[in-house]
Coordinates of all heavy atoms in Angstrom, one line a residue:
M1 N 35.0 35.0 9.7 CA 36.1 34.2 9.9 C 36.2 33.9 11.4 O 36.1 34.8 12.3 CB 37.4 34.9 9.5 CG 38.6 34.1 9.6 SD 40.1 35.0 9.0 CE 41.2 34.7 10.3
R2 N 36.4 32.6 11.7 CA 36.5 32.2 13.1 C 37.9 32.5 13.7 O 38.9 32.4 13.0 CB 36.2 30.7 13.3 CG 34.8 30.4 13.2 CD 34.6 28.9 13.1 NE 35.1 28.3 14.4 CZ 34.4 28.0 15.4 NH1 33.2 28.3 15.5 NH2 35.0 27.4 16.5
R3 N 37.9 33.0 14.9 CA 39.2 33.2 15.6 C 39.8 31.9 16.1 O 39.1 31.0 16.4 CB 39.0 34.2 16.8 CG 38.8 35.6 16.4 CD 38.4 36.4 17.6 NE 39.4 36.4 18.6 CZ 40.4 37.2 18.7 NH1 40.5 38.2 17.8 NH2 41.4 37.2 19.6
R4 N 41.1 31.9 16.1 CA 41.8 30.8 16.6 C 41.7 30.8 18.2 O 41.3 31.8 18.7 CB 43.3 30.8 16.3 CG 43.5 30.5 14.8 CD 44.9 30.4 14.4 NE 45.7 31.6 15.0 CZ 46.9 31.5 15.3 NH1 47.6 30.4 15.2 NH2 47.5 32.6 15.8
I5 N 42.0 29.6 18.8 CA 41.9 29.6 20.2 C 42.9 30.6 20.8 O 44.1 30.6 20.4 CB 42.4 28.2 20.7 CG1 41.3 27.1 20.3 CG2 42.5 28.2 22.3 CD1 41.8 25.7 20.5
Q6 N 42.4 31.4 21.6 CA 43.3 32.5 22.2 C 43.4 32.3 23.7 O 42.4 32.4 24.4 CB 42.6 33.9 21.9 CG 43.5 35.1 22.2 CD 44.6 35.2 21.1 OE1 44.3 35.0 19.9 NE2 45.8 35.7 21.5
D7 N 44.6 31.9 24.1 CA 44.8 31.9 25.6 C 46.2 32.3 25.9 O 46.9 32.8 25.0 CB 44.5 30.5 26.1 CG 45.3 29.4 25.5 OD1 46.4 29.7 24.9 OD2 45.0 28.2 25.6
E8 N 46.6 32.1 27.1 CA 48.0 32.6 27.5 C 49.1 31.9 26.8 O 50.3 32.3 26.8 CB 48.1 32.4 29.0 CG 48.2 31.0 29.5 CD 46.8 30.5 30.0 OE1 45.8 30.7 29.2 OE2 46.7 29.9 31.1
F9 N 48.8 30.8 26.1 CA 49.9 30.1 25.4 C 50.0 30.4 23.9 O 51.0 30.1 23.3 CB 49.7 28.6 25.6 CG 49.6 28.1 27.0 CD1 48.5 27.5 27.4 CD2 50.6 28.3 27.9 CE1 48.3 27.1 28.8 CE2 50.5 27.9 29.2 CZ 49.4 27.3 29.6
T10 N 49.0 31.0 23.4 CA 48.9 31.3 22.0 C 50.1 31.9 21.4 O 50.7 31.5 20.3 CB 47.7 32.1 21.6 OG1 46.5 31.5 22.2 CG2 47.5 32.3 20.1
D11 N 50.6 33.0 22.0 CA 51.7 33.7 21.4 C 53.1 33.3 21.9 O 54.1 34.0 21.7 CB 51.5 35.2 21.7 CG 50.2 35.7 21.0 OD1 49.9 35.3 19.9 OD2 49.5 36.5 21.7
M12 N 53.2 32.2 22.6 CA 54.5 31.8 23.1 C 55.3 31.2 22.0 O 54.7 30.5 21.1 CB 54.3 30.8 24.2 CG 53.8 31.4 25.5 SD 53.5 30.1 26.8 CE 54.7 30.7 28.0
P13 N 56.6 31.4 22.0 CA 57.4 30.9 20.9 C 57.8 29.4 21.1 O 58.9 29.0 21.2 CB 58.6 31.7 20.9 CG 58.8 32.1 22.4 CD 57.3 32.2 22.9
I14 N 56.7 28.6 21.2 CA 57.0 27.1 21.4 C 56.1 26.3 20.5 O 55.2 26.9 19.8 CB 56.6 26.7 22.9 CG1 55.2 27.3 23.2 CG2 57.6 27.3 23.9 CD1 54.7 26.9 24.6
S15 N 56.5 25.1 20.4 CA 55.8 24.2 19.4 C 54.3 24.0 19.7 O 53.9 24.2 20.9 CB 56.5 22.9 19.3 OG 56.3 22.1 20.4
R16 N 53.5 23.6 18.8 CA 52.1 23.3 19.0 C 51.9 22.2 20.0 O 51.1 22.2 20.8 CB 51.4 22.9 17.7 CG 51.3 24.0 16.6 CD 50.7 23.5 15.3 NE 49.5 22.8 15.6 CZ 48.3 23.5 15.7 NH1 48.3 24.8 15.5 NH2 47.2 22.9 15.9
Q17 N 52.8 21.2 19.9 CA 52.7 20.1 20.8 C 53.0 20.5 22.2 O 52.3 20.1 23.2 CB 53.8 19.0 20.4 CG 53.6 17.7 21.2 CD 54.7 16.7 20.9 OE1 55.7 17.0 20.3 NE2 54.5 15.5 21.3
R18 N 54.0 21.4 22.4 CA 54.3 21.9 23.7 C 53.1 22.7 24.3 O 52.8 22.6 25.5 CB 55.6 22.8 23.6 CG 56.1 23.2 25.0 CD 56.8 22.1 25.7 NE 57.1 22.5 27.1 CZ 56.6 21.8 28.2 NH1 55.9 20.7 28.1 NH2 56.9 22.3 29.4
K19 N 52.5 23.5 23.4 CA 51.3 24.3 23.9 C 50.2 23.3 24.4 O 49.6 23.6 25.4 CB 50.8 25.2 22.8 CG 51.7 26.4 22.5 CD 51.1 27.2 21.4 CE 52.1 28.2 21.0 NZ 51.7 29.0 19.8
Y20 N 50.0 22.3 23.6 CA 49.0 21.3 23.9 C 49.3 20.7 25.3 O 48.4 20.6 26.2 CB 49.0 20.2 22.9 CG 48.1 19.1 23.2 CD1 46.7 19.1 22.9 CD2 48.6 17.9 23.7 CE1 45.9 18.1 23.2 CE2 47.8 16.8 24.0 CZ 46.4 16.9 23.8 OH 45.6 15.8 24.0
Q21 N 50.6 20.4 25.5 CA 50.9 19.8 26.8 C 50.7 20.8 28.0 O 50.3 20.4 29.0 CB 52.4 19.4 26.8 CG 52.7 18.2 25.9 CD 54.1 17.8 25.9 OE1 55.0 18.6 26.1 NE2 54.4 16.6 25.5
L22 N 51.0 22.1 27.7 CA 50.9 23.1 28.7 C 49.4 23.3 29.1 O 49.0 23.5 30.2 CB 51.5 24.4 28.3 CG 53.0 24.4 28.3 CD1 53.5 25.7 27.6 CD2 53.6 24.3 29.7
R23 N 48.5 23.3 28.0 CA 47.1 23.4 28.2 C 46.6 22.2 29.0 O 45.7 22.4 29.9 CB 46.4 23.5 26.9 CG 46.6 24.8 26.2 CD 45.7 25.0 25.0 NE 46.0 26.3 24.4 CZ 46.5 26.4 23.2 NH1 46.8 25.4 22.5 NH2 46.8 27.6 22.7
M24 N 47.0 21.1 28.7 CA 46.6 19.9 29.4 C 47.0 19.9 30.9 O 46.2 19.6 31.8 CB 47.2 18.6 28.8 CG 46.6 18.3 27.4 SD 44.8 17.9 27.5 CE 44.2 19.1 26.4
Q25 N 48.2 20.4 31.1 CA 48.7 20.5 32.5 C 47.9 21.5 33.3 O 47.5 21.3 34.4 CB 50.2 21.0 32.5 CG 51.1 19.8 32.5 CD 52.6 20.3 32.5 OE1 52.9 21.4 33.0 NE2 53.4 19.6 31.8
R26 N 47.5 22.6 32.6 CA 46.7 23.7 33.3 C 45.4 23.1 33.6 O 44.9 23.4 34.7 CB 46.6 24.8 32.3 CG 45.8 26.0 32.8 CD 45.4 26.9 31.7 NE 44.6 26.2 30.7 CZ 44.3 26.7 29.5 NH1 44.7 27.9 29.2 NH2 43.6 26.1 28.7
D27 N 44.8 22.3 32.8 CA 43.5 21.7 33.1 C 43.6 20.4 33.8 O 42.6 19.7 33.9 CB 42.8 21.5 31.7 CG 42.6 22.8 31.0 OD1 42.6 23.9 31.6 OD2 42.4 22.8 29.7
R28 N 44.7 20.0 34.3 CA 45.0 18.7 35.0 C 44.5 17.6 34.1 O 43.7 16.7 34.6 CB 44.3 18.8 36.3 CG 44.9 19.8 37.3 CD 44.5 19.5 38.7 NE 44.9 18.2 39.2 CZ 46.1 17.9 39.6 NH1 47.0 18.8 39.7 NH2 46.4 16.7 40.0
R29 N 44.9 17.5 32.9 CA 44.6 16.4 32.0 C 45.9 15.7 31.6 O 47.0 16.3 31.7 CB 43.9 17.0 30.8 CG 42.7 17.8 31.1 CD 41.5 17.0 31.2 NE 41.1 16.5 29.9 CZ 40.4 17.2 29.0 NH1 40.0 18.4 29.2 NH2 40.1 16.7 27.8
C30 N 45.8 14.5 31.2 CA 47.0 13.8 30.7 C 47.6 14.5 29.5 O 46.9 14.9 28.6 CB 46.6 12.4 30.3 SG 47.9 11.4 29.6
T31 N 48.9 14.7 29.6 CA 49.5 15.5 28.5 C 49.7 14.6 27.2 O 50.1 15.1 26.2 CB 51.0 15.9 28.9 OG1 51.7 14.8 29.4 CG2 50.9 17.0 30.0
E32 N 49.3 13.4 27.3 CA 49.5 12.5 26.1 C 48.2 12.2 25.4 O 48.1 12.1 24.2 CB 50.3 11.2 26.4 CG 51.7 11.6 26.9 CD 52.6 10.4 27.0 OE1 52.5 9.5 26.1 OE2 53.3 10.3 27.9
C33 N 47.1 12.0 26.2 CA 45.8 11.6 25.6 C 44.7 12.5 26.0 O 43.6 12.4 25.4 CB 45.5 10.2 25.8 SG 45.1 9.8 27.5
G34 N 44.9 13.4 26.9 CA 43.8 14.4 27.3 C 42.8 13.8 28.3 O 41.9 14.5 28.7
A35 N 43.0 12.6 28.8 CA 42.1 12.0 29.8 C 42.4 12.7 31.1 O 43.5 13.3 31.3 CB 42.3 10.5 29.9
P36 N 41.5 12.6 32.1 CA 41.7 13.2 33.4 C 43.0 12.7 34.0 O 43.2 11.5 34.0 CB 40.5 12.8 34.2 CG 39.4 12.6 33.2 CD 40.1 12.0 32.0
A37 N 43.8 13.5 34.5 CA 45.1 13.1 35.1 C 44.9 12.5 36.5 O 44.1 13.0 37.3 CB 46.1 14.3 35.2
I38 N 45.6 11.4 36.8 CA 45.5 10.8 38.1 C 46.6 11.5 39.0 O 46.3 11.9 40.1 CB 45.9 9.3 38.0 CG1 44.9 8.6 37.0 CG2 45.8 8.7 39.4 CD1 43.6 8.2 37.6
Q39 N 47.8 11.5 38.5 CA 48.9 12.0 39.3 C 49.8 12.8 38.4 O 50.1 12.4 37.3 CB 49.7 10.9 40.0 CG 50.8 11.4 40.9 CD 51.8 10.3 41.2 OE1 52.2 9.6 40.3 NE2 52.2 10.1 42.4
G40 N 50.3 14.0 38.9 CA 51.1 14.8 38.0 C 50.3 15.2 36.8 O 49.3 15.8 36.9
S41 N 50.8 14.9 35.6 CA 50.1 15.3 34.4 C 49.8 14.1 33.5 O 49.8 14.2 32.3 CB 51.0 16.3 33.7 OG 52.3 15.7 33.4
R42 N 49.6 12.9 34.1 CA 49.3 11.8 33.3 C 48.1 11.0 33.8 O 47.9 10.9 35.0 CB 50.5 10.9 33.2 CG 51.6 11.5 32.4 CD 52.4 10.4 31.7 NE 53.3 11.0 30.7 CZ 54.5 11.5 31.0 NH1 55.0 11.4 32.2 NH2 55.3 11.9 30.1
C43 N 47.4 10.3 32.9 CA 46.4 9.4 33.3 C 47.0 8.1 33.7 O 48.2 7.9 33.6 CB 45.4 9.2 32.1 SG 46.1 8.2 30.8
L44 N 46.2 7.2 34.3 CA 46.8 5.9 34.7 C 47.6 5.2 33.7 O 48.7 4.7 33.9 CB 45.7 5.0 35.3 CG 46.1 3.6 35.8 CD1 47.2 3.7 36.8 CD2 44.9 2.9 36.3
K45 N 47.0 5.1 32.5 CA 47.6 4.4 31.4 C 49.0 4.9 31.1 O 49.9 4.2 31.0 CB 46.7 4.5 30.2 CG 47.0 3.5 29.1 CD 46.0 3.5 28.0 CE 46.4 4.6 27.0 NZ 45.3 4.8 25.9
H46 N 49.1 6.2 31.0 CA 50.3 6.8 30.6 C 51.3 6.9 31.8 O 52.5 7.0 31.6 CB 50.1 8.2 30.0 CG 49.6 8.0 28.6 ND1 48.3 8.4 28.2 CD2 50.2 7.5 27.4 CE1 48.1 8.1 26.9 NE2 49.2 7.5 26.4
L47 N 50.7 6.9 33.0 CA 51.6 6.8 34.2 C 52.3 5.5 34.2 O 53.6 5.5 34.4 CB 50.6 6.9 35.4 CG 51.1 7.5 36.7 CD1 51.5 9.0 36.5 CD2 50.0 7.5 37.8
V48 N 51.6 4.5 33.9 CA 52.3 3.1 33.9 C 53.3 3.1 32.7 O 54.4 2.6 32.9 CB 51.2 2.0 33.7 CG1 51.9 0.7 33.4 CG2 50.3 1.9 34.9
K49 N 52.9 3.6 31.6 CA 53.8 3.7 30.4 C 55.1 4.4 30.7 O 56.2 3.9 30.4 CB 53.1 4.3 29.3 CG 52.5 3.4 28.3 CD 51.9 4.1 27.1 CE 52.5 3.8 25.8 NZ 51.8 4.4 24.6
A50 N 54.9 5.6 31.4 CA 56.1 6.4 31.7 C 57.0 5.7 32.7 O 58.2 5.7 32.6 CB 55.6 7.7 32.3
R51 N 56.3 5.0 33.6 CA 57.1 4.2 34.7 C 57.9 3.1 34.0 O 59.1 3.0 34.3 CB 56.1 3.6 35.7 CG 56.8 3.0 36.9 CD 55.8 2.1 37.6 NE 55.3 1.0 36.8 CZ 54.2 0.4 37.0 NH1 53.3 0.8 37.9 NH2 53.8 -0.7 36.2
E52 N 57.3 2.4 33.1 CA 58.0 1.3 32.5 C 59.1 1.8 31.6 O 60.2 1.2 31.5 CB 57.0 0.4 31.7 CG 56.0 -0.3 32.5 CD 56.6 -1.2 33.5 OE1 57.6 -1.9 33.2 OE2 56.2 -1.2 34.7
R53 N 58.9 2.9 31.0 CA 59.9 3.5 30.1 C 61.1 3.9 30.9 O 62.3 3.7 30.6 CB 59.3 4.7 29.4 CG 60.1 5.2 28.2 CD 59.2 6.1 27.4 NE 58.6 7.2 28.2 CZ 57.4 7.7 28.0 NH1 56.7 7.3 27.0 NH2 57.0 8.6 28.7
Q54 N 60.9 4.5 32.1 CA 62.0 4.9 33.0 C 62.7 3.7 33.5 O 64.0 3.8 33.7 CB 61.4 5.7 34.1 CG 61.0 7.1 33.7 CD 60.8 8.0 34.9 OE1 60.6 7.6 36.0 NE2 60.9 9.3 34.7
R55 N 62.0 2.7 33.9 CA 62.7 1.5 34.4 C 63.7 0.9 33.4 O 64.8 0.6 33.7 CB 61.7 0.4 34.7 CG 60.8 0.6 35.9 CD 60.0 -0.7 36.2 NE 60.9 -1.6 37.0 CZ 61.2 -2.8 36.6 NH1 60.7 -3.3 35.5 NH2 62.0 -3.6 37.3
K56 N 63.2 0.9 32.1 CA 64.1 0.3 31.1 C 65.3 1.2 30.9 O 66.4 0.7 30.8 CB 63.3 0.3 29.8 CG 63.6 -0.9 28.9 CD 62.7 -1.0 27.7 CE 63.1 -2.2 26.9 NZ 62.2 -2.3 25.7
K57 N 65.1 2.5 30.9 CA 66.2 3.4 30.6 C 67.2 3.4 31.7 O 68.4 3.4 31.5 CB 65.6 4.9 30.5 CG 66.4 5.8 29.6 CD 65.6 7.0 29.3 CE 65.9 8.1 30.3 NZ 65.2 9.3 30.1
R58 N 66.8 3.2 33.0 CA 67.7 3.2 34.1 C 68.2 1.8 34.5 O 69.0 1.7 35.3 CB 67.0 3.8 35.3 CG 66.6 5.3 35.1 CD 66.0 5.9 36.4 NE 65.3 7.1 36.1 CZ 64.5 7.7 36.9 NH1 64.1 7.1 38.0 NH2 63.9 8.9 36.7
G59 N 67.5 0.8 33.8 CA 67.9 -0.6 34.1 C 67.6 -1.0 35.5 O 68.4 -1.8 36.1
L60 N 66.5 -0.5 36.1 CA 66.2 -0.8 37.4 C 65.7 -2.3 37.5 O 64.9 -2.7 36.7 CB 65.1 0.1 37.9 CG 65.4 1.6 38.0 CD1 64.3 2.4 38.5 CD2 66.7 1.8 38.9
K61 N 66.0 -2.9 38.6 CA 65.6 -4.3 38.8 C 64.5 -4.4 39.8 O 63.6 -5.2 39.8 CB 66.8 -5.1 39.3 CG 68.0 -5.2 38.4 CD 67.8 -6.4 37.4 CE 69.0 -6.7 36.5 NZ 69.7 -5.5 36.0
R62 N 64.5 -3.4 40.7 CA 63.5 -3.5 41.8 C 62.2 -2.8 41.3 O 62.2 -1.9 40.5 CB 64.0 -2.7 43.0 CG 65.1 -3.5 43.7 CD 65.4 -2.8 45.0 NE 64.2 -2.8 45.9 CZ 64.2 -2.2 47.1 NH1 65.2 -1.5 47.5 NH2 63.1 -2.2 47.8
R63 N 61.1 -3.2 41.9 CA 59.8 -2.6 41.6 C 59.3 -2.1 43.0 O 59.2 -2.8 43.9 CB 58.8 -3.6 41.0 CG 59.1 -3.8 39.5 CD 58.0 -4.8 39.0 NE 58.3 -5.0 37.5 CZ 57.8 -4.2 36.6 NH1 57.0 -3.2 36.9 NH2 58.1 -4.5 35.3
Y64 N 58.9 -0.9 43.0 CA 58.4 -0.3 44.2 C 56.8 -0.4 44.3 O 56.1 0.5 43.7 CB 58.8 1.2 44.3 CG 60.3 1.3 44.4 CD1 61.1 1.5 43.2 CD2 61.0 1.2 45.6 CE1 62.4 1.5 43.3 CE2 62.4 1.3 45.7 CZ 63.1 1.4 44.5 OH 64.4 1.5 44.6
Y65 N 56.4 -1.5 44.8 CA 54.9 -1.8 44.7 C 54.1 -0.9 45.6 O 52.8 -0.9 45.5 CB 54.7 -3.3 45.1 CG 55.1 -4.2 43.9 CD1 56.3 -4.9 44.0 CD2 54.4 -4.2 42.8 CE1 56.7 -5.7 43.0 CE2 54.8 -5.0 41.7 CZ 55.9 -5.8 41.8 OH 56.3 -6.6 40.8
G66 N 54.7 -0.1 46.4 CA 53.9 0.9 47.2 C 53.5 2.1 46.4 O 52.7 2.9 46.8
T67 N 54.2 2.2 45.2 CA 54.0 3.4 44.4 C 52.6 3.5 43.9 O 51.9 2.5 43.6 CB 55.0 3.3 43.2 OG1 56.3 3.3 43.7 CG2 54.9 4.6 42.3
L68 N 52.1 4.7 43.8 CA 50.7 5.0 43.4 C 50.3 4.3 42.1 O 49.2 3.7 42.1 CB 50.5 6.5 43.2 CG 49.1 6.9 42.9 CD1 48.2 6.6 44.1 CD2 49.1 8.4 42.6
S69 N 51.1 4.3 41.1 CA 50.7 3.7 39.8 C 50.5 2.2 39.9 O 49.6 1.7 39.3 CB 51.7 4.1 38.7 OG 53.0 3.5 39.0
Y70 N 51.3 1.5 40.8 CA 51.0 0.1 41.0 C 49.7 -0.2 41.7 O 49.0 -1.1 41.3 CB 52.2 -0.5 41.8 CG 53.4 -0.7 41.0 CD1 54.6 0.0 41.3 CD2 53.5 -1.7 40.0 CE1 55.8 -0.2 40.6 CE2 54.6 -1.9 39.2 CZ 55.8 -1.1 39.5 OH 56.9 -1.3 38.8
K71 N 49.5 0.6 42.7 CA 48.2 0.4 43.5 C 47.0 0.6 42.6 O 46.1 -0.2 42.6 CB 48.2 1.5 44.6 CG 49.1 1.1 45.8 CD 48.9 2.2 46.9 CE 50.0 2.0 47.9 NZ 50.1 3.2 48.8
L72 N 47.0 1.7 41.8 CA 45.9 2.0 40.9 C 45.8 0.9 39.8 O 44.7 0.5 39.4 CB 46.1 3.4 40.3 CG 46.0 4.5 41.3 CD1 46.4 5.8 40.6 CD2 44.6 4.7 41.8
Q73 N 46.9 0.4 39.4 CA 46.9 -0.6 38.3 C 46.3 -1.9 38.9 O 45.5 -2.5 38.2 CB 48.4 -0.9 37.9 CG 48.5 -1.6 36.6 CD 49.9 -1.8 36.2 OE1 50.8 -1.7 37.0 NE2 50.1 -2.0 34.9
A74 N 46.6 -2.2 40.1 CA 46.1 -3.4 40.7 C 44.6 -3.2 41.0 O 43.8 -4.2 40.8 CB 46.7 -3.6 42.1
M75 N 44.1 -2.0 41.3 CA 42.7 -1.8 41.5 C 41.9 -1.9 40.3 O 40.8 -2.3 40.3 CB 42.5 -0.4 42.1 CG 42.7 -0.3 43.6 SD 43.0 1.4 44.2 CE 41.4 2.1 43.6
S76 N 42.5 -1.5 39.2 CA 41.8 -1.4 37.9 C 41.7 -2.7 37.1 O 41.1 -2.8 36.1 CB 42.4 -0.3 37.0 OG 43.7 -0.7 36.6
T77 N 42.4 -3.7 37.6 CA 42.4 -5.0 36.9 C 41.5 -6.0 37.6 O 41.1 -5.9 38.7 CB 43.8 -5.6 36.8 OG1 44.4 -5.6 38.1 CG2 44.7 -4.9 35.8
Ligands
ZN1 ZN1 47.0 9.4 28.9

């Protein structure tokens, strides 16, 4: 019988999803898709997604084009 993945998160009383996120953070990977993280804990794609989600929620009108995610987005298109 194969053993399950055993690491520092295995016995924590948290959800599987939360453990996945913590493991991704530990390995500096995107917490949503597992791709290499650009900044914080997200890849570029999800960095942009998170940014747009926050804009909507807060009703922001301005865009801060100096922000890392915009620069990277411009570079990748
Ligand atoms: Zn991602």
Side-chain angles (χ1 to χ4, degrees):
M1 185 179 132
R2 282 171 62 91
R3 283 173 61 87
R4 290 186 307 151
I5 297 172
Q6 190 76 37
D7 60 19
E8 65 266 49
F9 305 119
T10 305
D11 297 321
M12 289 176 118
I14 50 179
S15 71
R16 292 177 55 85
Q17 188 184 14
R18 187 73 190 123
K19 284 179 194 176
Y20 174 81
Q21 289 179 338
L22 289 170
R23 289 191 179 109
M24 288 297 120
Q25 269 179 33
R26 181 194 58 191
D27 300 336
R28 293 196 61 81
R29 306 271 290 277
C30 174
T31 52
E32 298 193 41
C33 69
I38 303 278
Q39 185 197 45
S41 56
R42 288 212 170 83
C43 69
L44 176 58
K45 195 174 85 185
H46 286 111
L47 211 58
V48 171
K49 260 183 121 174
R51 186 194 66 206
E52 294 303 317
R53 199 163 49 213
Q54 285 195 339
R55 288 193 78 239
K56 214 171 181 183
K57 211 166 91 181
R58 297 181 193 165
L60 299 180
K61 298 270 188 321
R62 293 189 58 187
R63 282 182 180 270
Y64 298 90
Y65 286 107
T67 302
L68 183 66
S69 62
Y70 283 114
K71 285 182 192 162
L72 293 170
Q73 195 175 20
M75 276 165 58
S76 67
T77 48

